[in-house]
Amino acid sequence: MKMIVGGAQIGGIQKDEGRQAVVARMMALMEQAHEKGVEFLVYPEMTLTTFFPRFYVEDRSEFDHWFETEMPNAATQPLFDMAKRFGMGFTFGYCELTPEGLHYNTSILVSPEGEIVSKYRKTHLPGHAEYEADRTHQHLEKRYFLPGDTGFNVVRNQGAIMGMAICNDRRWPETWRTLGLQGVELVTIGYNTPSQNNLSKEEGIERRVYHHELSVCAGAYQNSTYAVAVAKCGMEDGNHMFAGSIIVDPDGFVIARATGEGDELIVAECDFDKCAFGKSTVFNFAAHRRVEHYGRITEQTGMKIEV
Ligand code: CDV
């Protein structure tokens, strides 16, 4: 079963850029995608707003205006309408404030009929919860979000088994294997990855991009799944985030790649029948996994040196 899949990379969103302007940019990319025959489109993490965890506020409720209390809402409804008109499925990330007052870094998967068929709340929140004066850049995701309560789930959408992860999740093999164990064929990942996080230990942008790509390619290969990883990138109010959006095949090869740091569409044809080979050979989980030796994965969080 073949599907043309797109990744809609979004360039920087400044603090004063409203939702409507961002949704207009998303719709321009969706229109391009439609012209290229895209049937399913992936947008980044926190697509609707700037990456505000860069900034500290003592009273975190001052940042509630970055969160959505319903989805779709007035700002995003035109995007849902356009996708339905095109018969295109899509996924995007946003900041969710629930009726109970809980804050999550969320993504949703929307069917071509315009129904939200799956919701995922980010599991692995990087960074810290309090202002850290010795850092050159703050990364306050732990201040503004709760760890997600959904876990990693899959849904059958447009004939393929799809699962979502968000940004930092892509670096954790547990994410991929949990989806792989459910037969995932397409993993979608939106991300905002700062090029610099702490100048006192500068890694360099090339190394950071390499680690991003390594994680996605390895996760795709080791679970024999396609993966689409899409950036929000470029400059946001003086902070740079790297681009590097990619589509990866079940052999772990990059089959589409963004070339710039702005709004950009990447497209690839995914043949989901190709997922079967790895899933039935090297990564035939039923035949080869040895769960009796994996207990530490769920029983232990941090490293313990006992020798
Ligand atoms: N938004 C993110 O989760 N960013 C992290 C950075 C902080 C390392 C990432 O894993 O890309």
Side-chain angles (χ1 to χ4, degrees):
M1 200 270 298
K2 291 181 182 169
M3 185 187 294
I4 301 182
V5 170
Q9 176 176 287
I10 302 277
I13 298 172
Q14 312 314 315
K15 268 181 172 174
D16 58 5
E17 198 167 340
R19 308 278 205 283
Q20 267 188 325
V22 178
V23 171
R25 289 166 58 183
M26 293 171 79
M27 289 170 70
L29 286 166
M30 186 177 275
E31 201 143 11
Q32 277 181 41
H34 176 60
E35 281 161 19
K36 293 212 154 93
V38 169
E39 298 163 87
F40 185 77
L41 186 59
V42 181
Y43 292 99
E45 173 190 35
M46 289 173 63
T47 312
L48 303 175
T49 61
T50 195
F51 192 71
F52 63 82
R54 279 293 190 210
F55 306 106
Y56 175 82
V57 273
E58 197 165 317
D59 175 3
R60 61 156 331 288
S61 70
E62 280 177 37
F63 272 6
D64 279 356
H65 65 95
W66 299 118
F67 287 75
E68 317 299 319
T69 53
E70 52 182 352
M71 191 57 65
N73 54 26
T76 55
Q77 188 62 55
L79 183 76
F80 281 69
D81 293 344
M82 177 182 261
K84 197 171 167 182
R85 207 165 59 247
F86 291 158
M88 192 187 295
F90 65 104
T91 171
F92 73 97
Y94 65 96
C95 303
E96 178 191 10
L97 176 53
T98 72
E100 298 77 32
L102 305 178
H103 298 77
Y104 294 107
N105 187 338
T106 295
S107 64
I108 48 168
L109 202 150
V110 184
S111 73
E113 292 76 36
E115 299 301 321
I116 296 174
V117 290
S118 187
K119 179 184 274 191
Y120 168 68
R121 292 171 172 154
K122 184 173 180 179
T123 302
H124 300 102
L125 296 174
H128 45 108
E130 298 302 328
Y131 186 82
E132 292 186 2
D134 57 338
R135 293 178 68 103
T136 55
H137 297 77
Q138 303 297 308
H139 195 105
L140 290 151
E141 282 195 60
K142 283 188 163 68
R143 182 173 192 80
Y144 301 122
F145 302 111
L146 287 169
D149 60 354
T150 55
F152 299 100
N153 299 303
V154 298
V155 66
R156 196 178 286 276
N157 180 61
Q158 296 170 256
I161 303 176
M162 300 185 177
M164 292 176 280
I166 300 179
C167 196
N168 193 256
D169 291 326
R170 73 196 186 288
R171 304 182 193 274
W172 298 92
E174 294 87 344
T175 300
W176 294 92
R177 185 49 45 88
T178 307
L179 291 168
L181 283 166
Q182 299 171 78
V184 76
E185 295 169 321
L186 180 70
V187 177
T188 67
I189 304 151
Y191 62 95
N192 285 257
T193 303
S195 301
Q196 298 174 313
N197 232 8
N198 200 341
L199 278 183
S200 61
K201 187 182 174 300
E202 186 48 72
E203 294 168 280
I205 186 167
E206 291 80 12
R207 190 177 299 230
R208 290 175 81 86
V209 173
Y210 173 71
H211 289 155
H212 145 69
E213 206 167 300
L214 176 68
S215 302
V216 178
C217 292
Y221 164 64
Q222 290 169 349
N223 295 278
S224 198
T225 177
Y226 284 93
V228 187
V230 181
K232 179 145 69 61
C233 53
M235 292 303 286
E236 285 195 343
D237 295 296
N239 295 305
H240 186 260
M241 293 183 296
F242 69 66
S245 301
I246 45 175
I247 302 179
V248 177
D249 76 10
D251 283 322
F253 286 97
V254 175
I255 53 173
R257 184 192 293 282
T259 53
E261 291 194 337
D263 293 5
E264 182 177 338
L265 179 72
I266 56 171
V267 177
E269 184 181 75
C270 299
D271 179 355
F272 294 110
D273 295 340
K274 288 188 179 165
C275 297
F277 180 71
K279 288 185 195 299
S280 60
T281 55
V282 179
F283 299 113
N284 178 341
F285 298 152
H288 308 307
R289 292 181 78 242
R290 289 289 163 210
V291 293
E292 65 272 29
H293 299 303
Y294 304 157
R296 282 186 194 271
I297 299 283
T298 53
E299 283 158 18
Q300 185 179 322
T301 305
M303 181 168 61
K304 276 190 209 158
I305 298 176
E306 290 164 338
V307 289

